[in-house]
Amino acid sequence: MTDGANALLVRRRRRDHATSSGARRRRRPDRPLALLAAVFTLAQLALVRPVLGLGWDEIVYVSQVTAHHPAAFFSAPRSRGVSLLVAPVASWSSSVPLLRVYLALLSGLALYLALRCWRGLFPTRVLVTAGALFASLWVTLFYGPQAMPNYWVAIGALTAAGCFLRARAGRSPRALWGIAAGTALMAWMRPTDAVWASVPLLVLALVRHRRLLVPLAAGLAAGAVPWVIEAYAAFGGLGQRLAEASRIQGGLGWQIAVDDQLRSLGGRALCRPCTGPMPEPVVFAWWFVLPVLAGLGLVVAGRARRLERTLVPLACAATAALPYLFMIGYAAPRFLQPAYALLAIPVADGLWYLVRTPRRTWRPVAATLVALGLAGHLAVQLAVVHGAVTRNTANRVDWDRTAGALHRLGVRPPCLLTGHEAIPIGYYTGCSSGATSGNNENMTVAGVLDTAARVPVAHIAPAGGAAPRYARDWPVHRVSDLDVRIALAPGREGDR
């Protein structure tokens, strides 16, 4: 009896040991992904630096939830997702470094979770390489710690596509929740981008996997509902908001923006109008290598009889990129972040095939060429991100300097700025911003004059630029390369 009890105890211990060993083996693939996410987070903080001031679009999003600055005009194409994302910090603190650290940590965690959704579909080495390829792009490093929507659309697309494939294969019942979460995140940030990136998933679900339509539709609806409600509350309806969004973006239709995107790869945050010379070929060479390696990944997947796993991210990348390459008349490199994130997986698969080619005599040559190519690519990306940070830092220092000059001239909160770069300069000054025409029109001339009777109002124009009729009689001051016309409210002249 004692021997029998001991035998049972030994078997149980072996079983427990085997279970714990299996759990450790299952956890090990997460460690490289976690390490990658940590390096990505640290790289953002080191290269972009938390002291980088807020940019124009960031100001619009952050000002919606902070009590420290007036809310800037919120135009039709924008969505409230970014504002809600930064609310846990921006709602109580005006510290930009704190916000940068928070977003860097959050973006690193998000990349880790998105790549985890692809476990079991591709080897860990492919997922780590894919994550590194996406994370090392200058546009990813630059926008990861910023209050902007495109990185989060990319994370949502990567999550939704991976969970879709896992759910299709029956690998995880939780994948249904991942589909809903990924599509909701995309729609929460940019509803129209979410629809474009989800088209292949919706088609596949409709044709072959109808049970997956529910989480797809639920996620898109959950993320887009606030945007639709706001369309009826503030823009006169969904059709009117879509029309206004199209107008602000120059009119959506057949427009080839491929060359505009190439010009923006040199580190330009916004290319509108997109004029000037192309950057050096070494800066955009990777852009043409990308589809070649993605095609190689597709061939590799076909030979390995796992074609759908590669076709899905490729198809989602294509539909996500389509409107920004062929339907809009300007470019910003961040627009293509969802496509880059999705393409990274088949590209990484293709690279590993080259390194592990069955022809052993060619392996050292292939591995050397791939290593040299990746090293050169990384060097270019780091150089571009350094240039982008330098230029954007200078712009934001100029806004802050102009704000200081306005304070010395008596323009202090509460106040109103109109004219050239009124939104960012207004934020740095602590003033509201207004426009009587253009894409950011939010008040009338009568409203400006009525405000001038109560608080300081300043109109900003480039030096020598024309002033609107309502500001022509206001005293003009030269601030750097700007003409600032100021109407101080009665009783405020002595504040200077």
Side-chain angles (χ1 to χ4, degrees), residues 348-366:
D349 202 20
L351 285 173
W352 273 106
Y353 173 80
L354 290 175
V355 171
R356 298 166 63 90
T357 176
R359 299 181 180 180
R360 294 188 177 182
T361 55
W362 285 99
R363 282 185 187 178
V365 176

Side-chain angles (χ1 to χ4, degrees), residues 118-491:
W118 291 81
R119 287 185 311 170
L121 299 171
F122 288 90
T124 301
R125 63 176 182 272
V126 171
L127 299 182
V128 172
T129 304
L133 289 172
F134 176 60
S136 62
L137 291 176
W138 78 263
V139 67
T140 308
L141 289 166
F142 184 67
Y143 285 108
Q146 295 197 45
M148 298 292 279
N150 309 88
Y151 174 82
W152 298 99
V153 176
I155 291 298
L158 201 59
T159 300
C163 289
F164 182 92
L165 289 168
R166 289 176 67 86
R168 180 200 63 82
R171 291 179 180 272
S172 172
R174 291 180 296 178
L176 298 177
W177 292 103
I179 296 171
T183 51
L185 178 61
M186 286 192 289
W188 193 34
M189 294 295 167
R190 290 188 72 91
T192 51
D193 285 12
V195 173
W196 281 105
S198 301
V199 165
L201 304 182
L202 291 167
V203 171
L204 269 176
L206 186 63
V207 174
R208 298 179 57 185
H209 312 289
R210 296 199 174 184
R211 67 186 181 90
L212 302 184
L213 276 175
V214 174
L216 281 169
L220 289 171
V225 159
W227 197 81
V228 174
I229 292 175
E230 188 179 41
Y232 286 96
F235 295 92
L238 182 58
Q240 287 85 340
R241 184 170 195 175
L242 290 170
E244 177 66 6
S246 176
R247 184 193 67 79
I248 288 174
Q249 296 178 66
L252 300 180
W254 179 251
Q255 301 178 77
I256 298 177
V258 176
D259 56 333
D260 294 343
Q261 286 291 346
L262 285 173
R263 286 187 175 88
S264 73
L265 291 177
R268 299 173 66 174
L270 181 65
C271 199
R272 184 181 190 184
C274 206
T275 56
M278 288 282 185
E280 294 297 324
V282 69
V283 172
F284 59 76
W286 67 273
W287 219 59
F288 294 97
V289 176
L290 200 65
V292 174
L293 291 174
L296 175 62
L298 187 62
V299 172
V300 171
R303 290 179 177 178
R305 296 184 179 180
R306 47 179 173 80
L307 195 60
E308 190 174 26
R309 299 181 199 176
T310 300
L311 271 176
V312 165
L314 281 177
C316 290
T319 56
L322 179 66
Y324 293 115
L325 292 177
F326 302 107
M327 296 181 65
I328 195 168
Y330 65 97
R334 59 187 173 86
F335 291 163
L336 295 180
Q337 279 187 281
Y340 296 150
L342 291 161
L343 285 173
I345 290 179
V347 166
D349 202 20
L351 285 173
W352 273 106
Y353 173 80
L354 290 175
V355 171
R356 298 166 63 90
T357 176
R359 299 181 180 180
R360 294 188 177 182
T361 55
W362 285 99
R363 282 185 187 178
V365 176
T368 302
L369 291 175
V370 168
L372 290 174
L374 291 176
H377 173 67
L378 179 61
V380 169
Q381 298 302 306
L382 293 178
V384 175
V385 77
H386 174 73
V389 170
T390 301
R391 284 189 298 275
N392 281 271
T393 299
N395 289 339
R396 296 163 199 195
V397 168
D398 285 345
W399 293 337
D400 190 52
R401 187 182 299 117
T402 302
L406 287 169
H407 288 160
R408 289 190 293 273
L409 291 169
V411 182
R412 303 187 189 96
C415 46
L416 170 69
L417 297 190
T418 64
H420 178 68
E421 295 188 331
I423 287 178
I425 297 175
Y427 182 88
Y428 280 78
T429 309
C431 300
S432 299
S433 54
T436 57
S437 61
N439 293 337
N440 295 310
E441 180 180 350
N442 63 342
M443 62 192 315
T444 63
V445 171
V448 173
L449 296 175
D450 179 64
T451 304
R454 295 179 284 105
V455 301
V457 176
H459 178 271
I460 302 172
R469 182 175 299 175
Y470 65 80
R472 287 176 186 169
D473 296 331
W474 296 353
V476 62
H477 307 267
R478 178 62 56 87
V479 176
S480 184
D481 58 348
L482 300 172
D483 283 344
V484 179
R485 291 172 170 81
I486 301 175
L488 291 178

